[in-house]
């Protein structure tokens, strides 16, 4: 009975065998089920990204803060555009992303009821703009849930451990879909396809480290520094 109480697979639900989860995380990552407010740890980085300053922001807020170029806590469409260009997207894609992201997310984050035609995104309230059909690695308050990052790769990274092919990224977004969540379906696919395009390695694989670092925004800083010719390191 004790083994059954800890079972992660059910014979009558084949999907539980096809998408395996880890049961050994606590050997290298303390309390992997505990949502972290300030850092994005994994089994290789139990204290989060080295030398990354969280500035007392939630992990989701850190993800967005890269685009806040004047550090006023608000991201306008032109700042989103500049950030997208900085990480390697072309002019057209960056423009379309700036329009889509700010129009889609702005109203949910506003401090009041009246909409703004400048479509600002208020970082303080970014948790209100979290969409469905995602990986669950952010909780509803914008904390980081390490176990969901780890399980993402044990479930879907079948070609190379802890790395995604494009097909596996697509399969994961398909598996995460929630019924009738049309916006979430599209948003998740768009996010992951763009992440794959800017962060894949020379072998066409998306590493767990790149994925982890996109959650706390440090990947954006890495990509921008790399493109500008500065010294950038992916630990």
């Amino acid at each position: 009975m004790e083994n059954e109480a800890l079972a992660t697979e059910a014979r009558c639900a084949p999907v539980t065998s096809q998408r395996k989860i880890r049961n050994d995380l606590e050997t290298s990552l303390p309390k992997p089920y505990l949502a972290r407010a300030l850092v994005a740890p994994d089994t290789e980085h139990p204290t989060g990204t080295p030398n990354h300053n969280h500035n007392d922001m939630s992990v989701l807020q850190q993800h967005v803060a890269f685009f806040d170029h004047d550090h006023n806590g608000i991201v306008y469409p032109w700042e989103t555009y500049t950030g997208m260009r900085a990480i390697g997207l072309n002019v057209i894609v960056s423009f379309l992303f700036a329009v889509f992201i700010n129009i889609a997310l702005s109203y949910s984050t506003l401090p009041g009821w009246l909409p703004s035609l400048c479509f600002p995104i208020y970082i303080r309230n970014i948790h209100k703009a979290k969409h469905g059909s995602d990986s669950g690695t952010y909780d509803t308050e914008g904390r980081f849930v390490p176990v969901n990052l780890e399980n993402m790769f044990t479930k879907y990274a079948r070609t190379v451990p802890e790395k995604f092919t494009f097909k596996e990224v697509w399969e994961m977004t398909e598996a995460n879909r929630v019924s009738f969540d049309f916006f979430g379906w599209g948003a998740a696919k768009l996010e992951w396809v763009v992440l794959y395009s800017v962060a894949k390695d020379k072998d066409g694989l998306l590493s767990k480290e790149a994925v982890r670092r996109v959650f706390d925004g440090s990947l954006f800083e890495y990509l921008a520094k790399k493109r500008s010719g500065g010294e950038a390191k992916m630990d």
Side-chain angles (χ1 to χ4, degrees), residues 36-106:
R36 268 59 163 194
L38 300 176
V39 300
D42 66 359
T43 52
E44 288 76 33
H45 306 85
T47 59
T49 303
N51 303 316
H52 175 64
N53 192 343
H54 55 67
N55 293 313
D56 287 319
M57 292 189 290
S58 73
V59 178
L60 179 56
Q61 289 174 330
Q62 294 169 50
H63 172 81
V64 179
F66 169 79
F67 299 92
D68 179 18
H69 299 296
D70 56 7
H71 307 293
N72 66 348
I74 305 171
V75 179
Y76 289 97
W78 49 90
E79 292 180 296
T80 304
Y81 171 84
T82 303
M84 292 297 175
R85 292 288 290 140
I87 65 173
L89 298 181
N90 65 39
V91 171
I92 295 174
V93 173
S94 295
F95 174 78
L96 293 175
F97 250 80
V99 172
F100 173 76
I101 290 173
N102 281 75
I103 289 178
L105 304 186
S106 174

Side-chain angles (χ1 to χ4, degrees), residues 106-116 122 125 128:
S106 174
Y107 188 73
S108 298
T109 69
L110 294 179
W113 290 99
L114 292 177
S116 170
Y122 283 75
N125 297 325
K128 296 180 179 180

